[in-house]
Amino acid sequence: MDLSDEGEALDRAWVELANNVAGILHGCRDASPVAERFVRAGWRSSSSSWYGYEVGTSWCEVELDRVDGPDVLLNGVVAPHRFDDLAALLNRFGLTYTLELHHGNGTLIREIRP
């Protein structure tokens, strides 16, 4: 996978925000092709572990981590008003997923299961 630092940095308004987005990308055995899709959409990407990637833009920064089985975990920070934009991007990628938006205290605010 080609890593890219060409995307926008996370806006300072969201840097201090606790992780507020979590999800599962179903049927993705490897995080690398998913990270590549984000890079092609203009996001930056870096390796975060042997099999994981951090992808981000000005309004969202998430980790993509392979787990045992056919799924990739997604977790990180999203500007709450851009939560639907993240879901739209995953739809554009043709992925099957579940996304959750949480309040800073961990309370579930919204869930998307397309």
Side-chain angles (χ1 to χ4, degrees):
M1 135 110 216
D2 291 329
L3 303 179
S4 172
D5 59 0
E6 302 216 2
E8 297 178 61
L10 185 63
D11 188 286
R12 292 169 47 151
W14 313 118
V15 169
E16 298 298 321
L17 190 66
N19 282 3
N20 67 346
V21 66
I24 300 172
L25 308 178
H26 303 286
C28 299
R29 293 193 176 276
D30 189 356
S32 179
V34 178
E36 287 176 11
R37 291 176 183 170
F38 279 97
V39 168
R40 285 193 302 268
W43 291 42
R44 64 186 154 66
S45 174
S46 61
S47 177
S48 60
S49 68
W50 283 100
Y51 302 107
Y53 294 88
E54 180 181 88
V55 296
T57 191
S58 63
W59 51 271
C60 183
E61 187 170 271
V62 294
E63 294 277 336
L64 304 171
D65 291 307
R66 184 180 87 172
V67 294
D68 291 336
D71 299 331
V72 166
L73 297 180
L74 174 151
N75 68 64
V77 174
V78 65
H81 67 280
R82 301 291 303 262
F83 182 66
D84 288 326
D85 295 330
L86 178 58
L89 188 61
L90 296 176
N91 286 332
R92 194 171 90 204
F93 294 163
L95 297 174
T96 304
Y97 61 89
T98 302
L99 274 183
E100 296 179 348
L101 178 65
H102 295 265
H103 190 272
N105 65 8
T107 303
L108 180 65
I109 297 171
R110 282 191 58 210
E111 182 176 32
I112 298 175
R113 293 177 178 260

